[in-house]
Amino acid sequence: IGDSSGMFMETGLAIKSSGISELSKYATIINFDKSEKRFIDIGKIKVPIPVIFNEFDFIINIPKMKIHSSTGVTLCVKNIFGCITGNSKGNLHKTLPMIKDFSGFLLKFYEKINPQLNIIDGIIGLEGEGPGTGGNFRYFNPSPCTTQVYHLAPQALCHVCLVNPSLRLDFL
């Protein structure tokens, strides 16, 4: 189990405060920010990811269903952004300020990481402004999963948009 948290909390603290550290009796917990890094090219942008990715046979992506201030929602593709280590994530938001460019980058990065299974944890999600700046917890209830992310996202979005019908997404 691994992560590199967002810009609002140090990853070790995020792993502990979220309860993920309690899973250490079942699996190894990896703070990607403390791991050895290598750079991969996503178009003209070089991004750091943990070297340990070379050792994985299978990647399972488990995003929380939530509204996101930059991309509209966080689902499978946006969640993989957590594989990028350190403050590079904040720099990428500045480098790609236009939502279309940022989302295009996310899609290319997702395809490069290529998780084999996606499970959206929609039992409790976040609605409103967020993440990190606020938002309200909400029981969405669904936890769909798939090997084909493009089939799963519309199903999950239906749940989010039913909860927040004013949400406008210009692309998926």
Side-chain angles (χ1 to χ4, degrees):
I1 300 170
D3 194 19
S4 173
S5 72
M7 301 178 290
F8 300 103
M9 186 179 292
E10 188 274 323
T11 299
L13 182 58
I15 288 171
K16 185 174 182 175
S17 66
S18 67
I20 291 173
S21 60
E22 295 174 25
L23 299 174
S24 64
K25 56 188 166 192
Y26 306 107
T28 301
I29 310 295
I30 304 166
N31 178 338
F32 291 156
D33 293 342
K34 305 277 185 195
S35 301
E36 183 181 352
K37 299 158 188 46
R38 69 181 175 100
F39 286 84
I40 60 171
D41 295 322
I42 307 298
K44 296 178 181 178
I45 300 173
K46 292 188 179 299
V47 294
I49 65 169
V51 170
I52 197 167
F53 271 71
N54 295 335
E55 300 175 24
F56 298 148
D57 295 323
F58 197 84
I59 297 173
I60 300 172
N61 181 24
I62 307 178
K64 292 292 291 178
M65 187 184 304
K66 61 187 177 226
I67 302 299
H68 191 276
S69 58
S70 295
T71 57
V73 293
T74 292
L75 296 171
C76 302
V77 174
K78 172 67 173 71
N79 192 61
I80 287 296
F81 197 52
C83 296
I84 297 172
T85 61
N87 63 2
S88 298
K89 291 183 285 298
N91 294 337
L92 283 165
H93 278 291
K94 293 174 190 168
T95 302
L96 301 165
M98 301 301 294
I99 188 72
K100 185 176 179 182
D101 296 334
F102 183 66
S103 296
F105 166 84
L106 288 175
L107 188 56
K108 289 175 189 169
F109 183 67
Y110 175 89
E111 290 171 345
K112 188 80 109 175
I113 299 298
N114 191 30
Q116 288 74 39
L117 179 63
N118 295 279
I119 303 168
I120 296 176
D121 177 358
I123 296 169
I124 298 175
L126 182 70
E127 68 175 356
E129 284 298 312
T133 56
N136 301 306
F137 293 110
R138 172 133 185 147
Y139 289 92
F140 289 107
N141 293 319
S143 287
C145 64
T146 187
T147 57
Q148 301 296 317
V149 70
Y150 307 109
H151 298 162
L152 183 60
Q155 177 187 354
L157 277 175
C158 287
H159 290 283
V160 174
C161 292
L162 285 172
V163 169
N164 185 358
S166 66
L167 179 65
R168 179 166 179 251
L169 299 174
D170 294 325
F171 57 89
L172 176 59

